């Protein structure tokens, strides 16, 4: 990270020296880059000071641990409260100074230490999730009122971690799967309400205006709830595919970057989901459905709700797959809608309808790759060209192995196939470089200007 800022500062200085930007603009960009992340304002001296404070704290802890049995409960709690008050007061007094962020981090973690201390003194035990929710509740005011974003990031991450852990494990106030389902009983409504409140709080406390990460965490959690043994479980492949593709499209469209382009992870997830659909060529419907393979009514409602939300989003919002343009919009929205709607081919699926689904998935990937290449060449976007070439090449190679893999029964066949792949890689790379060079070369009209 330090090398990045050093290079950025040098680039800004060169740009200002060349007259591309003014010195004032270079200074503003530099200051903005240093205040962008939660830890970006911390310099080497602050980390050294933090290390010094850490070693001193560890020394005090070791001394206290050695004499722990000689210290009374009241003295332990009083000492903790004094440390807690001291950390908060010092953080408030430092105000906007960068060193205050270290104290804010300490302030954030101290409620957890206090809860652990209180439980150890009085030998408390019980719900494993409750202390973490209490920690998040105590730290929420700090996350809301702090001038820096670090406590808000930490509190949001804590709430998401508690949500995942609590809902997927048994014996706590957030449990939604496991013993309740095994006993043929749904989890209490209070558990669902508390889980949704935790999810909403994690969203609300996330300090960035770009909600790509919390949106993804929430949608992934919802899909896990559909897959797990909960009261909203889905069991048939068709409903799982419908829900999964709908949620992937929602994340892709709503989690876009500031320049309206697709964010990397949602785009990769959607592409991987479509790629996995191509393997339905080998799908064989079960002759007899297994016991318990029944979708819950609420899970079906969630899946169709996600489908409706995905289609409405595609109709009302810009698509992030390809650069703006009428043709690009129609192509990208059509591909996204097709990736969701083709899941209906799995309802009462036969081997033939599953093959049709696989063919459609291959066509979606091919069209997406071609669209990326054409749009990238038209807009001089090297990244789009590379993405399109990668998608088409991966699809072609996989389908070759899929269709002709059974013929690879001898060493010579493997050698010939390897040579063919090597030739394919060579020509694909040459074509990719030619497209990139063509995209970089200005047109005669641009030269005349």
């Amino acid at each position: 990270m330090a090398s990045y800022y050093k290079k950025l500062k040098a680039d800004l200085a060169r740009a200002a020296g060349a007259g591309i930007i003014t010195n004032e603009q270079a200074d503003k960009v530099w200051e903005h880059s240093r205040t962008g992340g939660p830890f970006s304002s911390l310099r080497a001296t602050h980390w050294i000071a933090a290390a010094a404070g850490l070693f001193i704290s560890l020394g005090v802890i070791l001394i206290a641990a050695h004499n722990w049995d000689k210290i009374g409960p009241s003295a332990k709690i009083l000492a903790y409260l004094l440390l807690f008050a001291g950390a908060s007061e010092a953080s408030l007094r430092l105000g906007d100074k960068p060193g205050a962020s270290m104290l804010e981090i300490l302030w954030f973690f101290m409620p957890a230490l206090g809860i652990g201390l209180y439980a150890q003194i009085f030998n408390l035990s019980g719900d494993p999730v409750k202390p973490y929710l209490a920690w998040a509740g105590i730290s929420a005011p700090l996350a809301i009122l702090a001038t820096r974003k670090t406590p808000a990031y930490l509190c949001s991450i804590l709430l998401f971690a508690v949500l995942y852990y609590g809902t997927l494990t048994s014996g706590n106030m957030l449990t939604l799967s496991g013993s309740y389902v095994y006993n043929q009983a749904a989890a209490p409504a209070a558990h669902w309400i508390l889980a949704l409140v935790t999810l909403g709080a994690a969203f609300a406390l996330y300090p960035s205006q770009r909600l790509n990460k919390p949106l993804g965490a929430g949608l992934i959690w919802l899909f896990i709830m559909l897959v797990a043994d909960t009261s909203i479980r889905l069991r048939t492949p068709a409903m799982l595919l419908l829900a999964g593709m709908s949620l992937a499209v929602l994340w892709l469209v709503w989690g876009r970057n500031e320049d309206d382009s697709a964010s990397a992870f949602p785009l990769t997830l959607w592409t991987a989901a479509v790629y996995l659909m191509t393997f339905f060529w080998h799908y064989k419907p079960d002759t007899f459905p297994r016991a318990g393979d029944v979708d819950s009514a609420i899970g079906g409602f969630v899946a169709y709700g996600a489908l409706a939300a995905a289609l409405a989003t595609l109709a009302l919002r810009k698509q992030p797959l390809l650069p703006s343009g009428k043709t690009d919009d129609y192509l990208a929205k059509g591909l996204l809608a097709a990736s969701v709607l083709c899941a209906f081919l799995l309802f009462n699926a036969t081997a033939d309808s599953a093959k049709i689904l696989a063919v459609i998935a291959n066509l979606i990937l091919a069209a997406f790759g071609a669209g990326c290449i054409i749009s990238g060449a038209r807009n001089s976007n090297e990244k789009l060209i590379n993405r399109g070439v990668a998608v088409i090449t991966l699809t072609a190679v996989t389908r070759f192995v899929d269709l002709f893999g059974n013929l690879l029964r001898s060493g010579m066949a493997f050698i010939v196939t390897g040579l063919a792949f090597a030739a394919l890689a060579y020509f694909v790379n040459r074509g990719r470089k030619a497209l990139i060079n063509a995209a970089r070369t200005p047109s005669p009209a641009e030269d005349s200007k």
Side-chain angles (χ1 to χ4, degrees):
M1 185 61 72
S3 60
Y4 164 75
Y5 284 115
K6 184 177 180 180
K7 184 177 184 300
L8 176 62
K9 190 172 185 178
D11 290 340
L12 290 172
R14 283 195 294 269
I20 300 174
I21 57 176
T22 64
N23 290 325
E24 183 180 0
Q25 289 172 332
D27 292 337
K28 288 182 178 180
V29 172
W30 171 248
E31 290 299 325
H32 178 73
S33 68
R34 296 294 291 178
T35 58
F39 302 103
S40 57
S41 60
L42 301 179
R43 298 180 176 86
T45 53
H46 301 132
W47 289 109
I48 295 173
L54 176 62
F55 279 100
I56 294 173
S57 300
L58 289 175
V60 173
I61 290 172
L62 288 174
I63 294 173
H66 184 72
N67 300 280
W68 189 252
D69 294 335
K70 301 177 183 179
I71 304 174
S74 299
K76 294 175 183 177
I77 294 176
L78 179 60
Y80 163 76
L81 291 176
L82 290 175
L83 288 173
F84 190 26
S88 57
E89 179 66 18
S91 175
L92 292 174
R93 285 184 178 275
L94 287 177
D96 295 332
K97 294 181 180 179
S101 59
M102 280 295 181
L103 289 172
E104 282 183 347
I105 295 174
L106 177 62
W107 186 359
F108 174 83
F109 282 101
M110 284 204 72
L113 299 176
I115 293 171
L117 174 65
Y118 192 83
Q120 190 271 338
I121 292 174
F122 297 102
N123 295 318
L124 300 180
S125 61
D127 193 319
V129 166
K130 188 180 294 185
Y132 295 100
L133 286 177
W135 176 15
I138 295 172
S139 301
L142 170 64
I144 296 171
L145 299 176
T147 57
R148 281 160 289 273
K149 297 179 180 180
T150 306
Y153 279 113
L154 293 173
C155 197
S156 180
I157 293 171
L158 172 63
L159 286 168
F160 273 116
V162 171
L163 176 69
Y164 274 77
Y165 171 77
T167 55
L168 291 173
T169 56
S170 59
N172 65 76
M173 60 199 305
L174 284 177
T175 298
L176 299 179
S177 62
S179 60
Y180 292 112
V181 177
Y182 297 147
N183 296 328
Q184 302 299 316
H191 287 213
W192 281 101
I193 293 173
L194 183 58
L196 294 176
V197 169
T198 304
L199 177 62
F203 264 96
L205 290 175
Y206 193 77
S208 176
Q209 293 182 349
R210 290 181 55 197
L211 297 177
N212 176 30
K213 292 181 176 63
L215 176 63
L219 292 178
I220 291 174
W221 172 80
L222 178 58
F223 185 71
I224 292 175
M225 293 299 101
L226 294 172
V227 175
D229 287 323
T230 67
S231 56
I232 64 170
R233 63 188 178 278
L234 296 176
R235 287 294 173 265
T236 59
M239 291 299 293
L240 285 170
L241 181 61
L242 181 66
M245 290 306 307
S246 299
L247 295 176
V249 169
L250 284 172
W251 188 13
L252 179 61
V253 178
W254 287 97
R256 73 180 86 201
N257 295 321
E258 292 180 353
D259 59 354
D260 285 338
S261 63
S263 187
F265 193 77
L267 177 60
T268 302
L269 182 66
W270 175 81
T271 307
V274 177
Y275 176 72
L276 290 176
M277 284 198 295
T278 63
F279 290 93
F280 274 99
W281 184 270
H282 304 284
Y283 178 77
K284 295 180 180 180
D286 294 331
T287 306
F288 301 101
R290 293 186 296 270
D293 284 356
V294 179
D295 300 320
S296 66
I298 301 178
F301 177 79
V302 172
Y304 283 111
L307 169 65
L311 296 179
T313 296
L314 290 176
L316 299 176
R317 286 181 62 85
K318 293 181 179 179
Q319 52 78 26
L321 286 184
L322 301 173
S324 298
K326 191 172 182 180
T327 303
D328 290 342
D329 285 341
Y330 286 144
L331 175 62
K333 289 187 175 184
L335 294 177
L336 291 172
S339 68
V340 175
L341 295 176
C342 64
F344 283 100
L345 289 169
L346 278 187
F347 284 86
N348 299 318
T350 63
D352 292 335
S353 62
K355 284 183 171 61
I356 295 174
L357 170 62
V359 171
I360 293 175
N362 279 287
L363 292 176
I364 291 173
L365 289 177
F368 174 51
C372 288
I373 292 173
I374 295 172
S375 295
R378 187 172 61 244
N379 295 280
S380 301
N381 190 327
E382 181 179 344
K383 185 177 180 180
L384 266 181
I385 294 174
N386 289 333
R387 181 184 300 161
V389 171
V391 170
I392 290 180
T393 303
L394 176 63
T395 305
V397 171
T398 307
R399 296 289 72 78
F400 174 85
V401 175
D402 196 20
L403 295 175
F404 301 104
N406 292 333
L407 300 178
L408 302 178
R409 298 179 179 178
S410 65
M412 185 58 66
F414 275 101
I415 293 174
V416 172
T417 303
L419 292 174
F421 282 164
L424 176 64
Y426 173 76
F427 287 110
V428 165
N429 190 50
R430 286 193 60 182
R432 181 185 65 84
K433 289 183 177 179
L435 286 170
I436 292 173
N437 291 332
R440 290 175 176 174
T441 304
S443 63
E446 292 175 339
D447 287 336
S448 63
K449 293 180 182 180

